[in-house]
Each structure stands twice: as C-alpha cells, then as structure tokens.
Amino acid sequence: MTIQELHENTIDLCSRLIQAKSYSGEEREVVGVIEREMRRLGYDEVTVDEYGNVIGCLRGRRPGPRVLLDGHIDTVPVQEPERWSFDPFGGEIRDDRVCGRGASDMKGAVAAMICAAAAYAQECDHDFPGEIYVAGVVYEELYEGVSARRISQFVHPDYVIIGEASNLNLKIGQRGRAEIVLETIGKPAHSANPEKGVNAVKKMMKLLAELEDYVPEEQPELGKGIMELTDIISAPYPGASVVPERCIATLDRRLLVGDTPQSVLATIQDHIERLAAEDPDFKAKVYLRAETKTCYTGNEIYAERFFPGWYFDRSSEFVQKSFAALQTLGTNPVITTYSFCTNGSHYAGEAGIKTLGFGPSVESLAHTVDEYVLKEQLTKSAEGYVKLIDVLLNLKSAT
C-alpha cells in the first residue's frame, strides 16, 4: 500500500463509517462496515465480542509485544438535524474535509487506525515482531473504559494507542471523572403545615453549602480535581402543596491520579456525618451513579460511573521514542494531556498498561453541529499510526 493509497483508503473509510449511524447501543451497522474492511485489507483475525466491540488482529512472523489501537465507534445523537448545513450521516467529502457526525469523535481516527495497521503489515509482509490489534469500541460515549475491559482481557496488550482527537499531538494522560449522587431524605407534609414534615430540599441546600468549601487538589500535570453540581431534583416533582420528602443532586467530579471511589466518597461522607451529628432530622447518603444498558448484541453492560485518571512520565522510553517518531511527520507536535475522559481510564487508569493518545482533529469539534475532520489531519494521523506501531513493536524494553 503506497502512501497515496493509504490516504485514499483512510478518507474513503472515514466517509463510509460516518454513513453507518451508530449511537451508543446501536453500533451493529458500523461494526459490519469495519468487519468487511478488515477482512478486505487482510487482517488475520476479526472478532466481535459479547458487547459488540470489533477487534482485528495482524500477526507478525516473530515474537514480540502486542500493540492495541483503540477507537470508539459510537457517537452522541444528532439533536437538531435541521441546523446542519449537510446530512449528518452523509459522510460528504467537501473540499478539505470529511463531514458528518463522528468525523472528529472519532470515526476519522478509527478509519486511520484500520488502514495504517494494514499498511504497516503489508509493507513488510508481516515480517515484524509481535501482534497489532485494532479495536472499534462500543458504548464509550456513556462509559469511558467499561467495554474496553473486555478488549484488554482478550488482547492483553503491552501498549495502547488511544485515537481520540489530539490535533496530532502526543497525549500522555488525562483527568478521570465520576458521577456522584447525593440523596437527602425528609418527611412529607402538607406545605400549609411545614413544621410537621422535614424538607429534603432544604437539607440538600445545607449539604451543598458545606461542600462549597471543598478545595480541590491539584496536580501539575493534570490540573485541578473539580467537583461541580450539575443537577438537582426534588420528589415529588412538581411539588404542589407538599413538603418534599426526597431530593437528589448530581456532582461531576474530575479525578486526578490516585483518586479512588473510596477516597472520593469519603470526603463527602465526612460532611454528611458532621451534619447528622448537629441535626437529628438530617438524613443523607452518597454513592456513585450506576446503571445497566443493553448492547446491540442483546447482552447487558453494567457501569458504575467512576473512570480513573492516568499519567505517564514524559521521560519514559516509550513516550520519548514515540514523540521522536511523530516529530518526523513535520506537524510540530507537543507532549500534553487530554482535558476530557477516554478509554485510557481503563487501560492506563485501571490496568496500568502503557498508553498514549494520538489522533486527528481538535476536541472542540466533538459533539458539534456540522462536525468534520480535515483531510490533511486524517491522512497525517494514518502516517503517524504507522510510525507509532513500528516504534512500539520494536521497543527492546517491551514485556
């Protein structure tokens, strides 16, 4: 596969992936496109797991590490298609860009990964050490890293490349996130006689006021560990002539390296216990939001919304050699971190696997009206994946 063929294949595949609408839990069609393309490109094995993740494998002729390229294939919904200047699922190629939902987040990267891995294997006739895996991952938009657990159990990778948008820079970490639920319990009464009840909303207001004093920790590499109120609702709702007996609030907690479910909840639990000691009518609890969804395969996926942060030292051999390889692209890359959550929460944050981020486009285009990816970014990312694969497969320190 020549460079020109790599570019053309990547752009064409990106367009076809966009045309296969794939909201979370509805990825069957796009998985079919990926399966067929992997087989056409000569992948040695293509597997679809219980969640519906599609995983392609290219095997080298010599023993060596396993390198996994990870890209999610679900997208956020298109809420107002009439606001788009083109068909969100047309995959239209306009001048310097490929247009449509998922172009930047992140079907462009998935197309580049699939084509780049095949190009690398074809160029050397599979005379390389180790194995290359490319995974199209489901349900990432809701649960960063949850379905990826099945992939790492299947692949056991030594290195992972996350394809989320990085503007062709090298990413070596990210903050994680957690969805924390606060619940206060009151006593219902007619609002004409409020003294006979306990107002759960007022108790929530007291708890939230306490949490306003929270000073987030900070790490030089990742920034502040944020805790922000995102919603609040009473029960019954609407509350006509009744003292609310229950109130639920949600906190978005941005996590740093080392944060655990226990440590994050303990901070809030301490406030709850102090308020309960001062007020016998104060009753509250805190927990992580959890839910079960059904995959397009019919199997269920359960997720507790706690997705860890991660970071690797920029002086690490795998970081420095990967960065040196990307510098040869002529795109002037820098080493930095993601500001959002990715499947790296599992690979690096939970499993401790050496993980890098590299992908086309910029994060500000994700989830937007008239989403697109520049063709030049798309093709350069494909070239970059070829270079990263070669570096990581040939690292002498690989396990």
Side-chain angles (χ1 to χ4, degrees):
M1 190 185 300
T2 65
I3 287 292
Q4 183 62 30
E5 289 171 333
L6 173 59
H7 291 179
E8 291 173 354
N9 287 350
T10 299
I11 291 169
D12 174 69
L13 180 56
C14 176
S15 174
R16 288 188 283 124
L17 294 180
I18 291 168
Q19 291 167 9
K21 180 179 174 182
S22 56
Y23 295 162
S24 301
E26 303 173 18
E27 302 95 343
R28 184 186 302 276
E29 183 182 354
V30 75
V31 166
V33 175
I34 291 170
E35 277 191 282
R36 291 188 293 274
E37 186 66 13
M38 285 180 168
R39 297 187 192 283
R40 187 186 76 81
L41 290 172
Y43 277 68
D44 295 304
E45 182 180 356
V46 183
T47 304
V48 178
D49 69 17
E50 63 186 280
Y51 289 158
N53 299 309
V54 55
I55 308 162
C57 176
L58 293 155
R59 296 188 175 91
R61 300 184 187 279
R62 292 171 279 132
R66 295 181 172 195
V67 174
L68 169 65
L69 289 80
D70 171 288
H72 71 82
I73 53 177
D74 61 326
T75 73
V76 296
V78 174
Q79 302 289 0
E80 299 174 284
E82 68 277 6
R83 293 179 57 201
W84 290 60
S85 61
F86 46 78
D87 180 356
F89 303 103
E92 186 176 342
I93 300 172
R94 286 190 174 186
D95 300 323
D96 63 345
R97 60 196 60 184
V98 185
C99 306
R101 173 57 83 223
S104 281
D105 187 26
M106 55 176 291
K107 291 181 174 180
V110 172
M113 288 174 162
I114 292 168
C115 295
Y120 180 84
Q122 289 173 21
E123 178 65 23
C124 63
D125 192 26
H126 287 248
D127 187 17
F128 61 85
E131 298 172 344
I132 308 164
Y133 291 84
V134 180
V137 188
V138 302
Y139 257 122
E140 188 274 350
E141 288 290 359
L142 298 180
Y143 310 134
E144 297 96 329
V146 175
S147 58
R149 292 170 184 160
R150 288 289 185 272
I151 295 169
S152 64
Q153 289 170 2
F154 178 77
V155 175
H156 301 290
D158 297 288
Y159 299 102
V160 176
I161 303 167
I162 301 291
E164 293 277 11
S166 75
N167 200 21
L168 302 180
N169 293 312
L170 187 66
K171 301 290 185 175
I172 58 173
Q174 61 158 79
R175 285 185 300 187
R177 74 178 181 96
E179 289 186 33
I180 299 173
V181 180
L182 306 177
E183 186 174 348
T184 50
I185 300 94
K187 180 181 177 182
H190 197 289
S191 55
N193 302 291
E195 71 282 356
K196 294 183 179 180
V198 176
N199 192 312
V201 172
K202 290 183 177 179
K203 300 302 181 186
M204 180 64 76
M205 291 168 62
K206 184 182 289 189
L207 176 56
L208 292 173
E210 282 277 317
L211 295 176
E212 279 293 310
D213 295 332
Y214 169 74
V215 178
E217 293 182 6
E218 191 168 351
Q219 291 176 349
E221 304 87 1
L222 298 180
K224 292 183 178 180
I226 293 167
M227 184 162 69
E228 185 68 18
L229 176 68
T230 56
D231 64 48
I232 183 169
I233 190 167
S234 60
Y237 180 85
S241 301
V242 62
V243 172
E245 63 179 315
R246 190 162 167 260
C247 184
I248 292 179
T250 303
L251 301 175
D252 185 302
R253 180 75 159 79
R254 296 292 153 161
L255 308 169
L256 303 180
V257 174
D259 285 333
T260 65
Q262 295 76 20
S263 67
V264 166
L265 296 181
T267 300
I268 299 171
Q269 187 61 40
D270 288 344
H271 287 281
I272 289 174
E273 291 175 3
R274 184 166 63 253
L275 289 171
E278 297 170 355
D279 177 1
D281 289 331
F282 184 87
K283 296 179 181 178
K285 54 186 175 180
V286 58
Y287 50 92
L288 295 170
R289 188 177 301 281
E291 59 189 347
T292 298
K293 297 281 189 179
T294 302
C295 301
Y296 77 85
T297 59
N299 293 310
E300 291 187 336
I301 183 168
Y302 170 82
E304 187 175 66
R305 291 180 179 257
F306 186 95
F307 314 111
W310 55 278
Y311 179 81
F312 290 99
D313 193 307
R314 65 177 53 225
S315 66
S316 301
E317 181 189 25
F318 84 106
V319 172
Q320 284 300 311
K321 290 195 172 182
S322 296
F323 183 58
L326 293 179
Q327 287 178 305
T328 66
L329 287 175
T331 55
N332 300 314
V334 296
I335 299 176
T336 181
T337 59
Y338 284 120
S339 64
F340 54 91
C341 205
T342 74
N343 275 340
S345 285
H346 165 65
Y347 297 118
E350 292 179 346
I353 301 166
K354 293 182 176 69
T355 300
L356 299 169
F358 173 77
S361 203
V362 292
E363 62 184 81
S364 59
L365 285 173
H367 303 185
T368 58
V369 171
D370 282 354
E371 183 181 349
Y372 67 89
V373 61
L374 292 173
K375 289 194 290 187
E376 184 178 11
Q377 287 254 333
L378 192 56
T379 55
K380 280 293 184 182
S381 72
E383 293 178 35
Y385 291 132
V386 171
K387 292 178 181 293
L388 291 175
I389 289 168
D390 186 59
V391 165
L392 297 176
L393 286 176
N394 288 284
L395 275 179
K396 293 181 181 179
S397 61
T399 56

